[in-house]
């Protein structure tokens, strides 16, 4: 099984969706893996240093902060990101991710006097927006660029945003308290108008 096939299995394990719902089919090896694999989100991981763990937690919380609904930390996204960084990124992706995280770890204290996680929210947001501006030329930002494989040469901030969104909306908190979930709708309607403040639906949790 190659890495992309493992990623497909990971998507199923963390979301509870079927392969058909996610738009791909499984080979025999993937079926055997899924039948025997443990719960991915409970897998022990020790990839980041304690400081890096604090930085990642603060950064994902900037991307999805707690409001009247859970934030990224509430949904366990920091652990999800560490698992994905340690097990699922390929060599090229991991090199970009690790370099980006190391840059935040070293450069931010020099520029701001404190590590990222110790800064006030306004400073954290300023740094994240600067990272976005620096990466804005990446094809990752192409309009409608959502139904595709992970972009291997995407800048660090893009990787982090994608893993954060993926981890959050495949979590129980994101799926049941931000998206709407009806386990037994009893009918199919593919054209339900959304009201101004309606969120999208989650089909399977």
């Amino acid at each position: 099984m190659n890495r992309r096939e493992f990623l497909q299995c990971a998507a199923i394990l963390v979301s509870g969706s079927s392969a058909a719902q996610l738009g791909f089919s499984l080979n025999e090896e993937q079926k055997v893996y899924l039948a025997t694999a443990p719960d991915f989100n409970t897998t022990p991981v020790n990839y980041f240093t304690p400081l890096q763990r604090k930085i990642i937690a603060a950064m994902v919380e900037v991307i999805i902060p707690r409001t009247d609904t859970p934030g990224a930390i509430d949904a366990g996204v920091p652990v999800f990101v560490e698992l994905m960084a340690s097990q699922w990124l390929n060599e090229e992706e991991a090199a970009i991710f690790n370099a980006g995280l190391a840059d935040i770890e070293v450069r931010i204290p020099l520029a701001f006097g404190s590590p990222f996680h110790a800064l006030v929210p306004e400073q954290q947001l300023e740094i994240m927006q600067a990272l976005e501006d620096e990466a804005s030329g990446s094809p990752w930002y192409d309009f409608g660029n959502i139904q595709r494989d992970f972009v291997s040469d995407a800048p660090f901030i893009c990787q982090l945003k994608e893993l954060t969104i993926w981890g959050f909306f495949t979590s129980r908190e994101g799926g049941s308290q931000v998206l709407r979930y009806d386990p037994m709708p009893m009918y199919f309607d593919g054209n339900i108008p959304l009201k101004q403040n309606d969120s999208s639906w989650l089909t399977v949790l």
Side-chain angles (χ1 to χ4, degrees), residues 1-202:
M1 195 185 326
N2 63 35
R3 196 186 73 88
R4 295 300 172 192
E5 292 170 339
F6 269 114
L7 274 173
Q8 292 173 345
C9 290
I12 294 172
L13 286 171
V14 300
S15 69
S17 302
S18 70
Q21 288 169 320
L22 293 172
F24 48 74
S25 59
L26 300 176
N27 60 36
E28 270 311 303
E29 191 177 3
Q30 286 177 296
K31 292 176 183 176
V32 171
Y33 175 82
L34 285 172
T36 57
D39 183 346
F40 181 69
N41 282 338
T42 62
T43 303
V45 61
N46 190 26
Y47 185 69
F48 296 150
T49 67
L51 175 58
Q52 289 175 330
R53 208 164 280 133
K54 291 178 181 177
I55 293 171
I56 288 295
M59 294 186 83
V60 300
E61 191 69 9
V62 172
I63 297 171
I64 304 181
R66 179 192 294 167
T67 56
D68 56 341
T69 57
I73 292 177
D74 297 318
V77 170
V79 174
F80 176 84
V81 171
E82 187 166 355
L83 281 165
M84 295 298 280
S86 67
Q87 298 187 25
W88 301 112
L89 297 185
N90 65 27
E91 189 173 333
E92 176 187 8
E93 295 158 355
I96 294 171
F97 189 94
N98 293 336
L101 181 54
D103 173 62
I104 297 296
E105 186 177 1
V106 173
R107 181 170 56 87
I108 299 307
L110 294 176
F112 290 84
S114 295
F116 183 89
H117 67 275
L119 299 177
V120 299
E122 291 77 11
Q123 290 175 309
Q124 292 178 342
L125 184 59
E126 175 188 339
I127 294 166
M128 298 286 278
Q129 289 177 331
L131 290 174
E132 289 251 63
D133 291 342
E134 293 168 8
S136 60
S138 168
W140 189 87
Y141 288 98
D142 288 350
F143 182 74
N145 183 24
I146 53 174
Q147 297 290 330
R148 47 126 175 94
D149 284 337
F150 198 85
V151 179
S152 290
D153 61 352
F156 167 70
I157 186 64
C158 304
Q159 293 178 324
L160 185 61
K161 287 176 65 177
E162 187 157 345
L163 292 177
T164 299
I165 298 299
W166 187 1
F168 184 80
F169 286 107
T170 54
S171 72
R172 182 167 298 278
E173 289 78 6
S176 62
Q177 298 182 52
V178 177
L179 299 178
R180 291 177 293 167
Y181 174 58
D182 183 352
M184 299 184 66
M186 309 307 289
Y187 67 93
F188 173 76
D189 185 347
N191 186 25
I192 301 177
L194 293 178
K195 299 175 184 176
Q196 184 176 3
N197 296 319
D198 281 350
S199 63
S200 296
W201 289 89
L202 180 69

